[in-house]
Amino acid sequence: MNSILRQFSTLSVARQLHSDARLLANPSSVVLIQNRGRKRALKASISRQEKMERRLKREEREAARKQYNFMERIQIRRMKNLLSPSQQYPGRYVADDEAELPDAPLCNVFIREDVKTQFYSITDALKMHRELQQPSMYNNPRAPLKVRFELNMDTERATKMVSASSEIVPIPNPFKHNEKRTILAFAAKPELQELAVESGAEIALGPDMIKKIIKGQFRIDDYDFCVAHTDMGSTILPLRGILKTRFPTKINGGFGDDLPGAIERFKSGVKVDIKPDPVFPQWGLCEPVIGRLHMPDEEIESNLHAIIDAICKHRSPALGPFVNRAVLMTIPGTSFAALDVSKYLPVATEEEIEKLEKRKTGKKKKKEEKAVEQKVAEVDELLAVM
Amino acid sequence: MMASSRVNLLKAALGTFPAKFCGQSTRNTYVFQHVVVPPATPPGQTQRPPTEKQDFQKYELIEEETTTPAGPISVILLEDVEGVGHQFDVVEVDREIARNDLLLTRKAQYASPFDLKYYGDLKERMKDELAKRVRIPFEWLQIGRRLQKMVVPLTVSMDDAWTLNKGIVVASLRQIGVDVLDGAVHLPVEAISGPNFELEARLIRFYIVINKQYVIPMIGRLSHISADESKQALYPDTDKAITSEQLRKFGLVPETPYFHKSADIDDNFGVFDFMKARAKKV
């Protein structure tokens, strides 16, 4: 063992001697860089190769940084954290992407991606779904039908969008939705409160509880909607900010004399949630369940009409169509059919268009008017002096 | 091959194809206009030289004609070209396609007055032969090719009794993105019913008729489905093309589309038997 080690060491020494000899023979090849003194390690210089590597890395990082501008980087960061529900199946309808495709199929057989999105009437869309859900196939003829509304959430101000809301819309043809709905009833008299609870309300409150709700001692987040009798009157007005879209008004049918009727309407109504997209704020989604597949076509159509009316109240029609595309789907299921809802969308009246114009140019006009008034005043003064 | 690759590299590097490399002259046309309109020359007098005043030499660029696209070119087709037109048709084609493909490969000729007359006369003389030719519209050919590549998963219930009918096939086609508007689907005469797990993943031949005239053979694969997720089965990969061996396993043969003389293929035509007999002949 020792002899082997000695041999090995002599070999290495011989090699070292040999390399030293070569160095001495060619002194110009010797590069001596010595660092002496304090902070030797910090002053240690790096080789040319190391310098090249560091420069390349720096340039790569710079190139990666310069690839996107500021707004794009914000967008990328947002997208990494969140997934856009609007872009998930079946995605968002963008008319510009289909501009080059033919409007209508050229033959009786066509591949959907080779033609523009075909918008079907509700009857045709229902027929397609019924064919798929027949007993021979998916065997679900009573499947709940949902309509996926793609919404345009922008308003006249660039930074302000239509806010999220949740409401229960009464529909002309109720159906079995198997949802548990909790309704809060406001009534002054104890008999009315009892009647409300019997009709199906979760709980009935009187005027004394209103202060508690405002203070926060009574939680109202769990309740889907509120109904109030006329004898409560204006006492429930302080709760408007807390209840927001759940607040009972004459318009939404929650405020009236007939408590059982109102409760019945809201129990059987459709829950409509308008959700803005977290990644793309100008987009929104709303997926209400409008009926069941076995219902007659007219009933489903009338339900759809009522729901669209309720949804479109959230944005002025003068800004353009609120609904980008409405797609009929079944639960559960992935197949969808685009619906032609143009006849149900509200048409902007001239008054509304004028109002919008005024709001847009309101500030500018005010400034101009003020300037004109000032000038008129100055001229009057001059005339008075003269 | 080497020379062309070197030339392509140069093209990519330089971005354009400069004249000195291809030996052809390039020309750019600029349209200018006086900024200050010079005074009109009175009759009998000579024009004032432009060098007299600086204003006479000021021009502004209105248009650079080279940047505006030249537009399509009119050519006479010398043979049937798919997607463009039939033989002897005078068509407007994209300039690049015409120059790089059609004219070079002699599929088309410039629509000069002489050639228009020449090929017009030739068309007249060949009228009978041209009338005999079978010409299938290009859109139908395209759809046919796409459809033949597909394997349609025919979704049938795992729990309920079913018999394969038009409705099932049309709904299954709709699921993969193919719409058949008038239900022109022709199925095998022998009824296939289930649920029968021996028939699972079985390949079935059926036909689609485009505009009552063009019969396209298609393959469907039976797959039993259930709304109950615990009963889901794994399906073979449908992206790969079906081989003739796989077809033979189910007693099928590869078939080609059939174009009928007239548009009268309806439910009473007996498409299935006709195509079967045709496949046997081949």
Side-chain angles (χ1 to χ4, degrees):
Chain A
M1 187 71 172
N2 283 335
S3 61
I4 292 165
L5 277 170
R6 227 179 289 130
Q7 276 178 29
F8 190 78
S9 62
T10 46
L11 259 171
S12 64
V13 162
R15 240 188 243 121
Q16 189 71 27
L17 280 171
H18 180 69
S19 65
D20 286 345
R22 280 174 80 189
L23 276 172
L24 287 168
N26 194 0
S28 60
S29 66
V30 172
V31 177
L32 283 166
I33 302 162
Q34 282 192 346
N35 281 312
R36 295 266 159 204
R38 285 178 64 237
K39 299 182 190 175
R40 235 180 303 163
L42 296 168
K43 291 177 194 166
S45 57
I46 40 177
S47 66
R48 207 179 292 172
Q49 200 186 8
E50 182 74 357
K51 273 190 195 162
M52 271 292 277
E53 279 173 27
R54 285 195 190 180
R55 198 192 314 149
L56 285 167
K57 264 193 217 166
R58 207 186 323 132
E59 279 169 12
E60 253 184 69
R61 259 183 277 137
E62 285 254 356
R65 197 157 47 89
K66 283 188 182 159
Q67 216 180 350
Y68 304 106
N69 70 24
F70 181 67
M71 285 314 294
E72 281 170 4
R73 260 180 272 147
I74 289 177
Q75 198 78 275
I76 289 164
R77 213 181 311 138
R78 267 196 205 152
M79 288 200 276
K80 275 187 196 165
N81 295 330
L82 307 155
L83 289 166
S84 163
S86 296
Q87 286 187 319
Q88 282 164 28
Y89 187 82
R92 176 108 181 159
Y93 170 64
V94 181
D96 294 335
D97 291 347
E98 297 180 346
E100 290 166 359
L101 300 174
D103 289 328
L106 304 158
C107 327
N108 63 331
V109 179
F110 67 97
I111 294 164
R112 224 174 283 152
E113 51 195 34
D114 291 344
V115 181
K116 277 198 178 128
T117 304
Q118 299 295 299
F119 291 91
Y120 299 101
S121 67
I122 292 159
T123 322
D124 293 335
L126 283 169
K127 189 178 160 215
M128 286 193 241
H129 278 295
R130 281 176 188 142
E131 277 179 6
L132 200 60
Q133 302 295 336
Q134 61 177 299
S136 310
M137 293 182 81
Y138 283 95
N139 189 25
N140 196 0
R142 292 173 156 258
L145 286 164
K146 85 169 178 199
V147 176
R148 185 180 193 264
F149 290 101
E150 292 163 19
L151 305 170
N152 298 318
M153 307 287 267
D154 44 356
T155 56
E156 63 262 23
R157 282 196 211 155
T159 46
K160 196 178 172 212
M161 304 288 162
V162 173
S163 49
S165 61
S166 172
E167 56 178 347
I168 298 182
V169 176
I171 43 167
N173 306 106
F175 57 95
K176 198 174 165 192
H177 50 69
N178 295 339
E179 281 173 43
K180 206 177 166 214
R181 297 251 177 93
T182 44
I183 295 178
L184 180 62
F186 287 103
K189 293 181 193 162
E191 307 95 57
L192 285 168
Q193 287 177 10
E194 269 179 40
L195 180 64
V197 175
E198 274 171 34
S199 313
E202 185 77 16
I203 193 166
L205 304 173
D208 46 322
M209 292 295 289
I210 289 171
K211 272 192 182 165
K212 281 194 182 174
I213 295 170
I214 295 168
K215 280 185 189 171
Q217 288 166 358
F218 188 84
R219 287 214 62 191
I220 45 94
D221 298 332
D222 320 319
Y223 300 97
D224 295 317
F225 207 77
C226 302
V227 158
H229 197 266
T230 37
D231 56 6
M232 288 294 283
S234 52
T235 46
I236 50 166
L237 286 173
L239 298 174
R240 190 185 275 273
I242 304 165
L243 295 174
K244 292 176 216 178
T245 44
R246 294 175 291 172
F247 189 75
T249 58
K250 270 193 190 153
I251 304 162
N252 64 25
F255 191 78
D257 290 321
D258 180 24
L259 267 180
I263 291 166
E264 186 53 44
R265 250 179 286 133
F266 287 106
K267 277 252 176 197
S268 57
V270 164
K271 211 167 186 190
V272 173
D273 293 322
I274 294 178
K275 293 168 276 190
D277 192 296
V279 179
F280 301 101
Q282 70 272 29
W283 295 352
L285 265 187
C286 179
E287 292 172 303
V289 177
I290 64 162
R292 285 195 172 250
L293 201 54
H294 68 282
M295 282 165 67
D297 297 357
E298 300 81 31
E299 286 186 11
I300 296 173
E301 207 169 327
S302 51
N303 283 358
L304 184 68
H305 193 169
I307 290 165
I308 291 176
D309 283 340
I311 290 172
C312 290
K313 286 210 176 89
H314 290 265
R315 185 172 175 264
S316 165
L319 288 161
F322 190 26
V323 177
N324 184 43
R325 178 177 70 157
V327 142
L328 185 68
M329 300 170 79
T330 50
I331 302 166
T334 50
S335 64
F336 63 94
L339 291 173
D340 183 18
V341 291
S342 47
K343 52 186 177 181
Y344 302 121
L345 294 177
V347 179
T349 55
E350 278 184 31
E351 285 172 36
E352 283 168 353
I353 297 170
E354 274 178 36
K355 242 195 216 175
L356 189 74
E357 292 287 306
K358 273 188 192 170
R359 256 183 279 159
K360 272 189 189 169
T361 56
K363 277 187 183 172
K364 277 191 205 166
K365 270 196 179 169
K366 275 185 191 167
K367 277 187 189 169
E368 280 174 22
E369 277 170 14
K370 266 191 180 174
V372 163
E373 274 175 23
Q374 264 186 335
K375 276 194 178 169
V376 163
E378 281 170 16
V379 164
D380 286 339
E381 273 181 31
L382 272 172
L383 283 170
V385 162
M386 277 159 60
Chain B
M1 191 63 188
M2 279 292 283
S4 66
S5 61
R6 243 179 282 146
V7 153
N8 284 336
L9 273 169
L10 248 156
K11 207 173 168 182
L14 296 166
T16 53
F17 214 51
K20 55 186 175 181
F21 289 105
C22 65
Q24 291 191 11
S25 58
T26 53
R27 171 178 45 203
N28 293 314
T29 306
Y30 300 91
V31 179
F32 291 101
Q33 165 178 282
H34 281 289
V35 172
V36 174
V37 178
T41 311
Q45 290 193 15
T46 53
Q47 191 184 4
R48 286 164 76 175
T51 47
E52 191 185 302
K53 261 182 142 182
Q54 266 200 351
D55 273 349
F56 294 167
Q57 291 167 69
K58 288 177 186 171
Y59 303 98
E60 58 187 358
L61 179 68
I62 305 169
E63 196 192 338
E64 194 183 329
E65 281 189 352
T66 324
T67 54
T68 50
I73 195 172
S74 187
V75 294
I76 308 168
L77 295 171
L78 301 179
E79 56 183 59
D80 289 348
V81 181
E82 261 186 23
V84 184
H86 300 309
Q87 194 173 10
F88 303 125
D89 281 354
V90 180
V91 286
E92 296 263 319
V93 271
D94 182 43
R95 221 163 259 263
E96 272 192 57
I97 296 168
R99 289 213 174 108
N100 299 327
D101 181 24
L102 300 174
L103 291 160
L104 282 177
T105 52
R106 292 185 192 248
K107 287 188 190 140
Q109 185 55 271
Y110 287 108
S112 60
F114 175 82
D115 282 317
L116 279 168
K117 187 169 182 308
Y118 177 79
Y119 289 109
D121 292 341
L122 189 57
K123 188 178 179 180
E124 275 298 309
R125 272 180 270 141
M126 287 175 68
K127 219 180 358 180
D128 298 325
E129 197 190 314
L130 290 171
K132 280 185 206 165
R133 260 192 224 164
V134 171
R135 273 155 180 184
I136 306 169
F138 183 55
E139 296 87 28
W140 300 6
L141 280 171
Q142 275 183 312
I143 293 173
R145 282 172 200 152
R146 292 275 295 273
L147 291 177
Q148 280 180 87
K149 283 187 202 164
M150 292 180 188
V151 177
V152 184
L154 301 172
T155 45
V156 284
S157 177
M158 224 185 256
D159 311 306
D160 273 337
W162 52 264
T163 307
L164 199 66
N165 59 20
K166 235 187 240 189
I168 293 175
V169 178
V170 168
S172 304
L173 281 165
R174 210 176 280 128
Q175 276 193 298
I176 57 165
V178 178
D179 280 81
V180 182
L181 293 172
D182 56 358
V185 171
H186 299 263
L187 292 163
V189 179
E190 315 89 45
I192 301 169
S193 353
N196 186 353
F197 284 94
E198 282 171 35
L199 296 174
E200 175 67 24
R202 186 193 170 87
L203 295 178
I204 290 162
R205 170 74 73 197
F206 64 95
Y207 300 96
I208 283 185
V209 184
I210 296 181
N211 284 10
K212 294 190 178 178
Q213 206 171 353
Y214 192 44
V215 182
I216 297 164
M218 286 191 73
I219 299 279
R221 181 181 261 130
L222 270 176
S223 43
H224 291 82
I225 43 108
S226 170
D228 182 8
E229 282 177 3
S230 63
K231 288 186 190 170
Q232 291 296 327
L234 281 170
Y235 307 119
D237 192 7
T238 49
D239 289 343
K240 293 183 191 149
I242 296 287
T243 58
S244 38
E245 277 171 34
Q246 284 173 299
L247 286 173
R248 228 179 292 135
K249 215 166 73 170
F250 298 104
L252 303 171
V253 288
E255 291 182 35
T256 53
Y258 167 69
F259 184 73
H260 196 57
K261 294 182 292 245
S262 49
D264 53 13
I265 298 180
D266 51 13
D267 291 334
N268 303 326
F269 188 85
V271 170
F272 205 84
D273 294 328
F274 175 84
M275 292 297 285
K276 213 173 173 181
R278 184 169 168 263
K280 270 189 189 162
K281 266 191 226 173
V282 169

